[in-house]
Amino acid sequence: MSIFDGPLTDRFGRVHRDLRISLTDKCNLRCTYCMPAEGVPWLAKQNLLTTDEIVRVAEVLARLGIVEVRLTGGEPLLRPDLVDVVRRMAAIEGVDGPLQVSLTTNGIRLDRIMDDLVAAGLQRLNISIDTLDAARFAELTRRDRLEDVLAGIEAAQRSGLRPLKLNTVAMRGVNDHELRDLVRFAIAHEAELRFIEQMPLDAGHIWSRVEMVRGEEILEELGREFDLQPYGERGSSPAQEYLVDGGPTVVGVIASVTAPFCGACDRVRLTADGQLRNCLFAREESDLLSLLRSGGSDEDIARMLRKNIEGKRAGHGIDDPGFLQPDRPMSAIGG
């Protein structure tokens, strides 16, 4: 029996079909809930996966049943050969045809390469936007770049890629009074909004459950203006979706802390420096970079992938008394 026979399954029977690849740990924003203002220890260039290495891993995973690749960061648009990465990913044949390629970005510089990304085979976009207020954006991200983000969203709207999703981290005393404004903005831009509970993935490890805006609070606030009805089957999606005022607009709530979706998780993550992670909150990684650069075969890669997934825990354990936040912040793991 070949190492490639059968799906990529963990000991709880979860079949993994979604690959998240971080292309860089660098970002052109410094969001307070993700990165410190200064002193970020960037990965050394020689420790970053090359495009050939990324493609090789994706090809092996496609043989194991992966059907979707989401490119993340840091900020993936900072990778100079992003368009080429997308093109090569979209050309990989999976078990159900070519891999579906999507991208999570802050939108800065997107207006310059949107057409090239579509031509290369990009199929879906998630763009992060936490506030529509320029002063608040500058305070939250430590950069005055809101106009650049808005230009990126407008370029994405014109591109015709659908669904177009906007991601918002709900934060108490920061943007919790803007939630309905953001829904109206999403409607105007033909986008689906995803509200996300703030997770313990900040660089300073100062996350507080008490300060977090819970998913039920988000729905209560939106319900003051909109009629929300549960929509569709959640499946392995992290978001519970709702039709807004009967549709067609959809809003999603990703309540990773208060309503985790670990039981249906189908994701495997590859960091920019070639470490395999079977959970966003994992404290253990498998060193795929060393295997790639020491002459490992495709079969060796597949064995490491299977072993990593077999070790996946039932859940992220945020509610466990002994929970420890991962050493890496979100920017170094990949969204």
Side-chain angles (χ1 to χ4, degrees), residues 3-15:
I3 190 68
F4 291 101
D5 291 339
L8 191 59
T9 308
D10 66 19
R11 55 195 165 134
F12 301 100
R14 293 171 293 197
V15 178

Side-chain angles (χ1 to χ4, degrees), residues 131-133 136 175-188 193 195 221-222 225-226:
T131 177
L132 299 171
D133 181 274
R136 188 171 298 111
N175 65 351
D176 51 342
H177 63 290
E178 283 191 82
L179 304 188
R180 287 181 278 161
D181 293 337
L182 284 157
V183 171
R184 288 192 293 270
F185 176 85
I187 293 172
L193 198 60
F195 288 108
E221 171 62 17
L222 298 183
E225 180 173 341
F226 306 105

Side-chain angles (χ1 to χ4, degrees), residues 124-142:
R124 289 200 305 279
L125 267 171
N126 284 55
I127 304 174
S128 300
I129 181 165
D130 295 323
T131 177
L132 299 171
D133 181 274
R136 188 171 298 111
F137 184 94
E139 181 179 0
L140 178 61
T141 68
R142 304 186 179 103

Side-chain angles (χ1 to χ4, degrees), residues 3-4 8-10 16 19 56-64 66 268-270 275-278 286 288 291 297-312:
I3 190 68
F4 291 101
L8 191 59
T9 308
D10 66 19
H16 290 70
L19 171 62
R56 185 182 178 199
V57 175
E59 288 173 340
V60 171
L61 276 161
R63 293 177 66 184
L64 293 170
I66 290 292
V268 57
R269 298 174 183 275
L270 181 63
Q275 304 302 303
L276 279 171
R277 299 175 62 89
N278 55 33
S286 298
L288 190 54
L291 179 61
S297 66
D298 287 356
E299 288 74 16
D300 292 331
I301 296 170
R303 273 189 284 273
M304 178 176 281
L305 288 164
R306 286 198 182 279
K307 184 176 180 181
N308 181 274
I309 294 301
E310 286 169 2
K312 189 168 184 170

Side-chain angles (χ1 to χ4, degrees), residues 96-109:
D96 296 334
L99 293 182
Q100 302 170 37
V101 184
S102 55
L103 179 72
T104 295
T105 172
N106 61 29
I108 297 172
R109 300 183 68 246

Side-chain angles (χ1 to χ4, degrees), residues 49-273:
L49 287 170
T50 67
T51 298
D52 286 344
E53 290 168 337
I54 291 171
V55 171
R56 185 182 178 199
V57 175
E59 288 173 340
V60 171
L61 276 161
R63 293 177 66 184
L64 293 170
I66 290 292
V67 298
E68 177 176 357
V69 173
R70 177 171 293 279
L71 304 174
T72 71
E75 174 45 52
L77 268 62
L78 293 180
R79 180 137 179 158
D81 64 344
L82 173 62
V83 173
D84 185 50
V85 173
V86 171
R87 182 179 297 107
R88 295 181 65 180
M89 287 288 161
I92 296 173
E93 285 291 329
V95 294
D96 296 334
L99 293 182
Q100 302 170 37
V101 184
S102 55
L103 179 72
T104 295
T105 172
N106 61 29
I108 297 172
R109 300 183 68 246
L110 185 60
D111 58 325
R112 307 178 199 174
I113 62 169
M114 187 72 248
D115 292 344
D116 292 336
L117 290 170
V118 173
L122 186 69
Q123 293 179 281
R124 289 200 305 279
L125 267 171
N126 284 55
I127 304 174
S128 300
I129 181 165
D130 295 323
T131 177
L132 299 171
D133 181 274
R136 188 171 298 111
F137 184 94
E139 181 179 0
L140 178 61
T141 68
R142 304 186 179 103
R143 300 290 187 273
D144 185 13
R145 304 297 297 272
L146 178 59
E147 290 302 318
D148 296 313
V149 175
L150 296 177
I153 292 172
E154 290 167 4
Q157 181 183 2
R158 291 193 301 270
S159 76
L161 291 188
R162 299 293 185 273
L164 169 60
K165 297 179 181 180
L166 305 181
N167 293 344
T168 296
V169 177
M171 291 164 280
R172 196 176 307 282
V174 177
N175 65 351
D176 51 342
H177 63 290
E178 283 191 82
L179 304 188
R180 287 181 278 161
D181 293 337
L182 284 157
V183 171
R184 288 192 293 270
F185 176 85
I187 293 172
H189 289 80
E190 304 171 52
E192 300 180 7
L193 198 60
R194 293 290 184 271
F195 288 108
I196 305 170
E197 287 183 342
Q198 187 174 354
M199 294 178 283
L201 289 166
D202 58 299
H205 291 205
I206 60 173
W207 174 85
S208 166
R209 179 184 292 272
V210 175
E211 294 301 317
M212 181 189 72
V213 181
R214 303 186 308 278
E216 60 188 37
E217 293 180 89
I218 294 169
L219 292 174
E220 181 180 352
E221 171 62 17
L222 298 183
R224 299 179 190 279
E225 180 173 341
F226 306 105
D227 175 61
L228 302 178
Q229 296 298 326
Y231 172 72
E233 295 293 329
R234 183 169 179 176
S236 61
S237 170
Q240 176 62 60
E241 295 184 329
Y242 300 86
L243 275 181
V244 179
D245 293 338
T249 300
V250 174
V251 163
V253 176
I254 300 177
S256 301
V257 178
T258 62
F261 47 92
C262 302
C265 179
D266 65 348
R267 292 162 187 77
V268 57
R269 298 174 183 275
L270 181 63
T271 66
D273 57 345

